[in-house]
Amino acid sequence: MSTPYEISTDPARLDAALVHHWLSTDAYWALGRGREKQDRAIEGSLNLGAYDGGSGEQLGYARVVTDRATFAWLCDVYVAPAARGRGLGKALVGAALAELEPYGLKRVLLATEDAHGLYEGLGFRSPVGPGHLMAMIPE
C-alpha cells in the first residue's frame, strides 16, 4: 500500500508557481505577495513540500527561516484546500521540526491567527515573558 503523502526538502521538487498562487491568493498572511518576493523567500529558506504518494502532485508547503545554530522561524505553512483535514499540516510541521532537531536550536517561533491547537499539539506554546518580544513592523 502506498503512503498517502510524502514530505520532501528537495527544492527541485517544489512547484514555486503553485506555492506563490496558494499564498498570494488564499493565505491571510501573504495575500498579494509578489512572485519575485516569494521566489526570494524560497531561495533563502529551508522548504518542505508535501506531495501525493501516488501522483506526486504537490499538496502542501512549509518554509523555515533559520541560521541552523540558534533560531528558526516557521512560516508559510499551507495545505491545499482539497487536502485539508487529513493531518497533512501536522505532518508538515512535524517534518520541519525533525529537520531542525539536529541543530539543537534554542528557539523556534511562529505566528498564527487560527491554528493554535495544531501548533500546541506539536509542542508550541505562548512565549514566556512575551513582553520581551518586539517586532519592527513597517507602517
Side-chain angles (χ1 to χ4, degrees):
M1 183 170 170
S2 67
T3 304
Y5 50 79
E6 175 189 358
I7 297 175
S8 173
T9 59
D10 180 358
R13 289 190 70 184
L14 285 179
D15 183 338
L18 179 61
V19 169
H20 172 256
H21 173 75
W22 283 340
L23 297 178
S24 68
T25 65
D26 191 41
Y28 67 83
W29 65 89
L31 292 175
R33 183 183 291 169
R35 175 66 192 268
E36 181 182 333
K37 184 172 289 224
Q38 182 61 46
D39 287 347
R40 284 195 329 260
I42 288 171
E43 185 178 312
S45 302
L46 168 63
N47 301 278
L48 295 95
Y51 306 91
D52 181 277
S55 70
E57 173 188 8
Q58 188 168 346
L59 302 174
Y61 174 74
R63 184 168 71 86
V64 180
V65 180
T66 182
D67 61 7
R68 292 178 170 85
T70 63
F71 176 81
W73 178 264
L74 175 65
C75 52
D76 290 346
V77 178
Y78 185 91
V79 174
R84 292 179 186 164
R86 296 188 234 162
L88 192 49
K90 185 175 182 176
L92 264 171
V93 174
L97 295 175
E99 284 291 320
L100 296 171
E101 190 173 352
Y103 304 116
L105 304 179
K106 182 176 180 175
R107 188 171 290 113
V108 178
L109 295 179
L110 62 83
T112 185
E113 287 184 9
D114 59 357
H116 292 81
L118 168 77
Y119 295 112
E120 287 168 351
L122 290 162
F124 285 88
R125 57 187 164 84
S126 295
V128 176
H132 295 278
L133 298 175
M134 296 183 74
M136 181 178 283
I137 302 170
E139 293 182 29

